[in-house]
Amino acid sequence: MSIAFDSNSVDFQKSEGLVPVIVQDFATEKVLMLGYMNREALDKTLAEGIVTFFSRSKNRLWTKGESSSNFLHLVSVAVDCDQDTLLIKARPDGPTCHTGADTCWNETNISIDFLRQLENVIRQRRDQPDETSYTASLFKRGINKIAQKVGEEAVELVIEAKDDNADLFLNEAADLLFHYLILLSAKGYELGDVVKVLEGRHKK
């Protein structure tokens, strides 16, 4: 998967051909690591969709995860106002730091926004199925089954809405939201995509 970004917008000459690169988890917004890229590393990253750096110690291109398989899957690239620092948002396959920590600052890679964290877990169940996972089993059964579950949960929520049992109502609301997130993921979307539609309507 290639990402559209003009590498000519980056000033590689300020620091003798290398620019610092901040890598942020797209889902949790945690900063994962700092690396360096030359133009070749950036072009390879853009073309392949896997983050590749220039290793100053090895003096060569280095794809994050080439030995650990903990790749960083590219989502977006942005250059700062001085054109000499890059911000990359990515989806990590596993721990980013070579020590086994989630980040190079030994932070736990979780989101303050629980819904975004939950979306990340759902995505992992979709892309890396676990035989024991209920969510993975839904993905395996296909879009029709997932859509059916959303319909069933919606009906159950409507039924509970007619009564005054707050606990049952909130639990059914949670079930509906959970299965709705699964449906969005199955279709290749996220809650943020729906929010953008709502924001667009609000501005009209």
Side-chain angles (χ1 to χ4, degrees):
M1 178 187 71
S2 61
I3 299 292
F5 177 81
D6 183 8
S7 58
N8 291 320
S9 64
V10 183
D11 189 349
F12 287 99
Q13 301 312 311
K14 281 188 179 180
S15 302
E16 300 180 347
L18 292 179
V19 296
V21 182
I22 300 165
V23 181
Q24 182 182 33
D25 189 307
F26 175 75
T28 66
E29 300 186 346
K30 276 286 187 180
V31 174
L32 300 176
M33 65 173 292
L34 172 70
Y36 291 86
M37 284 185 180
N38 59 8
R39 183 180 294 275
E40 186 180 2
L42 176 57
D43 288 342
K44 181 178 174 65
T45 297
L46 293 171
E48 299 181 359
I50 302 294
V51 180
T52 294
F53 301 98
F54 182 84
S55 171
R56 294 172 299 170
S57 59
K58 299 173 183 177
N59 196 35
R60 65 170 176 83
L61 295 187
W62 165 65
T63 297
K64 178 70 183 73
E66 64 184 28
S67 58
S68 66
S69 294
N70 292 332
F71 298 103
L72 294 170
H73 299 273
L74 182 66
V75 175
S76 66
V77 184
V79 64
D80 76 335
C81 56
D82 292 321
Q83 287 78 51
D84 60 3
T85 302
L86 292 172
L87 172 64
I88 282 183
K89 295 185 180 183
R91 301 189 193 280
D93 273 338
T96 297
C97 186
H98 70 280
T99 63
D102 285 352
T103 79
C104 289
W105 291 269
N106 199 31
E107 294 182 308
T108 302
N109 186 19
I110 59 174
S111 174
I112 296 176
D113 182 342
F114 177 72
L115 282 179
R116 296 191 69 176
Q117 180 184 343
L118 182 57
E119 281 190 304
N120 196 35
V121 172
I122 289 171
R123 189 181 307 109
Q124 289 177 340
R125 297 292 186 269
R126 181 193 68 192
D127 298 340
Q128 301 169 17
D130 180 345
E131 294 286 335
T132 63
S133 167
Y134 166 73
T135 304
S137 71
L138 278 181
F139 282 119
K140 185 176 181 180
R141 295 173 73 178
I143 192 70
N144 288 343
K145 180 59 180 178
I146 296 171
Q148 178 186 336
K149 282 297 296 180
V150 172
E152 292 172 357
E153 298 299 342
V155 170
E156 291 176 9
L157 178 61
V158 170
I159 292 172
E160 291 302 333
K162 295 179 179 181
D163 296 325
D164 295 321
N165 189 317
D167 185 60
L168 289 177
F169 174 75
L170 290 175
N171 272 279
E172 292 299 345
D175 287 344
L176 175 58
L177 179 55
F178 176 67
H179 287 89
Y180 173 58
L181 293 176
I182 294 175
L183 179 60
L184 285 176
S185 183
K187 296 292 290 183
Y189 300 111
E190 297 179 342
L191 195 57
D193 296 310
V194 180
V195 171
K196 288 179 182 177
V197 174
L198 293 172
E199 288 177 339
R201 292 177 180 176
H202 180 69
K203 292 176 182 177
K204 292 181 180 179

